[in-house]
Every structure is written in structure tokens, then in C-alpha cells.
Amino acid sequence: MNSINRRSALLAGLAVAGTGALAACGGSGSTPALVSPDSKVVATTERKRKGSGKVREVTLTAAPAVLDLGGKVTAKSWAYGGRTPGKEIRLAAGDTLAAELSNQLPDRTTTSVHWHGIALRADMDGVPPATQNAVRAGRNFTYRFLADTPGTYFFHPHVGVQLDRGLHAPLIVEDPREPLSYDDEWVVVLDDWLDGVTGTPDQVLAELSHGMGDMGGMDMGDMDGMDMSGGDTGKGGGKTSSGSMKFMLMGARSSLLGGDAGDVKYPYHLVNGRMPSDPDVYTGKPGKRVRLRIVNAGGDTAYRVALGGHKLTITHTDGFPVAHQQVDALLVGMGERYDVLVTLADGVFPLVALAEGKDASGLALVRTGSGAAPRATVRPKELDGMIMNAAGLKAADDVRLDTRRTDRVHRIELTGGMAGYDWGINGRRYDMKHPTADPVLVEQGQRVRLDFVNKTDMWHPMHLHGHTYQLGTGGPRKDTTIVLPGRTVSVYFDADNPGQWMLHCHNAYHGEAGMMALLAYEA
């Protein structure tokens, strides 16, 4: 059960090979007319959603903030309402959310809000320049949409690499007819952190964008002898005087992720905005059943999550129910969410988010009785037990897609690499200046299959906006899924939400570098 072979077997489902005729992703010909995000058909689709008539109004102020990360560590960053994660938004399925974004960011910085995982109306998806103009500094924009699907979601900007600052928060859509039985909830947000400590995400992207092909004149074969400690903690990016890289992480390896685990060197890993030395604490009572809603809001880190002394029963992933599965630990990629049930024992227990392949971790505590808190570096045995991710899960019967003919198939090759930092889809980097060039085309009502073919040496969490897809013919319903290097993952979805939607790697730096495409409905 604890062997690498056992863990590999659980991940084998990630290699779901596609079959059948393939349609190219875009092409060199002229692009047909597309359904625009503000078209009548988008509004018509929104009116067909079943609503409660209730409106939840909130204000989101994106502004500079000095954030207390615990352990006497503060960071100058950007956040919603002066905290990270931002204040949770909670509403019932069928309610309308009216969220006014106030952009108070410095230096004429534009921003937006993307409602990650929500199948909402296209003009409210928050993706400049595809679905809206970016919100200028000093301006406001109100996002208004009906949230009709219960689940665990979150929201964050979709401009540059702002996701890797403090600008994110949970969004919980409750089921008025909740079928699960439990006593309490705990929302757990995981995050990798460097902003305002060793630099900024923009500086990270600038350094990474140089790639590894040159590395200051050194041959790639010399990297093993290089200093990658990043001892300089000033604000500038790029190489240090010793030839080392300040932000680029070398040697991060994970068998669960198929090799290279990540690009970026983070000084801290946070759970609910707190460092392991001063963790967030959930206080409960022995014997109580608690629902954990786990969100990976990180920029470059997958987390292996376990609660010491407990088993976890997986009930949902990315908002959709699965056949219940009891496990020791979860592997959660960036952008993924998992709901689990746990019956609390008596004592003090560590909830550990191991930064997969990075020799670091985040920590929170569950306290139900007396006892000393464990060390910040605690590693419960459950982390090496039965580890599960979406590949080993099955969709619950009531959300499994019905069996029907596939109308359109797209081969989505994940391309590029660290040498040139030229991440792309089908050999092309997404061009923000020409957002509708070479779209992945679908038509209203079609059953669509996407074959994610990973041609790179790294893993990628692939996220589709505005829809959920099913892994294979019976796997879970998802909007974000891990694609291992050298593997193919086939997913299916029904084209039932017209508009223009992003399809991209949810590694913040891979996506911004170009591993992104537009999935668009033909008019």
C-alpha cells in the first residue's frame, strides 16, 4: 500500500488514450463567425438557468496590503479586503451573485475576477481580452451571474500572474437539498508564497522567461554543480553574481507527478494564509463529522494532503460528487478542489499539505482535546499511505454523462519546455493581442472530446472555463485535471454554455507564457 508501485497504479488512469477521428485545434484557414460573450444566445442561456430569485451582493476591493502570514512574518502584497485568502463568499445554488470589483491596485494596474469552476454566463467569466476589457485602476466593475451548480469553487484574477499574489478567496455554492450528513465545515485553502518576501510574481516570470537553454553561458550538463540556493533575497530578478537563479527551482522531483515537480522556489507554503510555525487551528469535538473543502490556490505547487491519525472519505472533486472513496492522502494540483469527510478523533492533529517534490510543507491543526501541538515539520504516516487523485475516482451516478456519440474531437497537444520557456498548445503560444486566432471550435449541443497529449517533460493541470468535463467514460466530473508528462488524458463535455472560453494550464507561469487556447462556439 505504501509503495511507489501502489501509488503509480492509482495514477494509471491519467493515461486514458483517445481514439477516433481527430479535429485539429484551429488551423491556418479563416476563422468562422464566433458566438461573442455578449451575444443574445449567451443571455438566453442564462435565462434558462433555474434561479431562486435571491441576490447575494458583495464588494471586492483589490488593493495593496501588508499581510500577516504568522510567525512574525509579514508580506507586502495585493489582496481582497486586506487579507489572504480573501473573505469567503457563500450562497445557495440558484442564487444570483452581484460582486462589485473595485480596482485600487497601484501603478495603473488592470485586473479582473475569474470565477474558477463556475459554469456561468460567458460575459462574466472575467478573462481579458476574451470576455471583457480589463478593469482599469480606480474603476469598478460588477459581475452578475446565476450560480446554479453546488460545489467548492474559488475566485482570482485572470490578468498576468496576479493569481500568485494574495488575490484569491473561496466561493462556496451550497446545495439546498444537501445529501451529505455532517456536523460542520472547514474550508482549507492551500497556497505557495513568495510575494513581498523574495520578490514578486512578475519578477519570477521575467526570470523564468529567459529559459534554461543558456543559463549564463553554462552548458545544461553543468547545472548539477550550480548554486540554486537563491541566497540573495533582494527585490531584483534574474541571475545573481554567482550565476545562480533567484527564483527558479532545480531538482524538484516527484514520481507521483511523473518527474519534474515545479519551476518556482517558494520560501513559504501556507494553509489558510498561515505559516507552519503559527498555523491556522480548527477547533472541534471528538466524534464529530466534518466536511473539509480543500482548494489549491497555488501558482506552481501540487500538494499531497493528509490529516494525521485520520482517514479521509472523498465525496466531491471540483464541485461534483464522486463515488465515495476512503484514502489516507490526496494529491491536489493547482486549481483543483476536493471535498472530504472526516470523523474527528480526540487530541491535536496535523493537517499537512506536503509541497509535492519540493521538500517543504504547509500546516494547519485540528484540535479536539488536550495535547501539545506537533512540530511545524511534522510528517504524518498517512502522507505515505494510500494516495489518491482524480484518476482513481468515479463520477456519482447522478452526474455521470449519458452515453452518446461524440460529435467532435480535438487533439490538444501540450508543448514547449524549460529550455526556452516556450509553453504552448499545439506548438503555439496564445497571443493576447489576437485572442480569437486559431480557436478550438465547437458547436452548441455537441458532445466534445478533448485529448490532452502531454509532449513535455512536466505535468500540467489543465483547466477549462465555463464547463465541466468527464475523465474518460466513467471518471469524475472536473474542470481541472492533472496531465502527466508523456501521457494522454481524454475528457468529454457537452457544449451547452455558448461563448468564448479559455483552456489553459493552471500553472500560473506556464499559462501566462503561452500554454493557453480559446475554446469558442461557432455562431
Side-chain angles (χ1 to χ4, degrees), residues 3 117 120 138 140 145 147 157 170 198 232 318 322 331 371 435 473 477 491 496 503:
S3 67
L120 76 175
N140 292 10
F145 58 89
T198 57
D232 173 19
D318 292 1
V322 299
L331 181 67
T473 56
R477 297 283 299 277
V491 304
D496 57 5
L503 173 67

Side-chain angles (χ1 to χ4, degrees), residues 95-291:
D95 292 354
T96 293
L97 179 64
E100 183 181 31
L101 170 66
S102 175
N103 181 2
Q104 302 301 320
L105 298 177
D107 304 322
R108 297 185 176 181
T109 301
T110 62
T111 192
S112 73
V113 178
H114 167 57
W115 309 92
H116 184 110
I118 297 284
L120 76 175
R121 55 185 298 157
D123 55 349
M124 294 291 115
D125 195 40
V127 182
T131 67
Q132 69 169 106
N133 294 322
V135 182
R136 296 166 60 185
R139 301 290 181 86
N140 292 10
F141 182 90
T142 297
Y143 294 90
R144 187 182 182 93
F145 58 89
L146 195 155
D148 61 354
T149 305
T152 300
Y153 307 99
F154 74 119
F155 56 93
H156 58 79
H158 220 282
V159 173
V161 287
Q162 292 178 12
L163 164 66
D164 215 18
R165 295 182 185 261
L167 292 165
H168 55 77
L171 172 62
I172 309 301
V173 182
E174 296 181 327
D175 189 342
R177 299 180 299 275
E178 178 59 63
L180 293 180
S181 175
Y182 53 91
D183 301 299
D184 198 9
E185 287 192 12
W186 186 27
V187 179
V188 176
V189 180
L190 315 176
D191 194 17
D192 41 20
W193 192 274
L194 58 76
D195 191 38
V197 178
T198 57
T200 69
D202 293 304
Q203 291 170 341
V204 173
L205 180 63
E207 180 181 290
L208 293 175
S209 295
H210 291 299
M212 294 170 53
D214 174 37
M215 295 294 285
M218 284 179 282
D219 189 48
M220 293 285 284
D222 296 332
M223 287 192 300
D224 288 343
M226 290 180 61
D227 172 19
M228 296 295 173
S229 63
D232 173 19
T233 58
K235 298 299 181 185
K239 302 179 182 69
T240 67
S241 58
S242 65
S244 67
M245 303 296 285
K246 179 178 176 184
F247 302 114
M248 187 182 292
L249 178 65
M250 304 298 298
R253 307 292 296 177
S254 165
S255 60
L256 295 181
L257 296 175
D260 195 335
D263 303 338
V264 181
K265 183 167 23 184
Y266 290 95
Y268 303 124
H269 295 273
L270 310 180
V271 179
N272 289 343
R274 306 294 292 180
M275 292 175 50
S277 60
D278 189 6
D280 185 39
V281 179
Y282 172 84
T283 303
K285 295 182 179 180
K288 294 295 185 181
R289 202 178 198 201
V290 179
R291 179 180 191 166

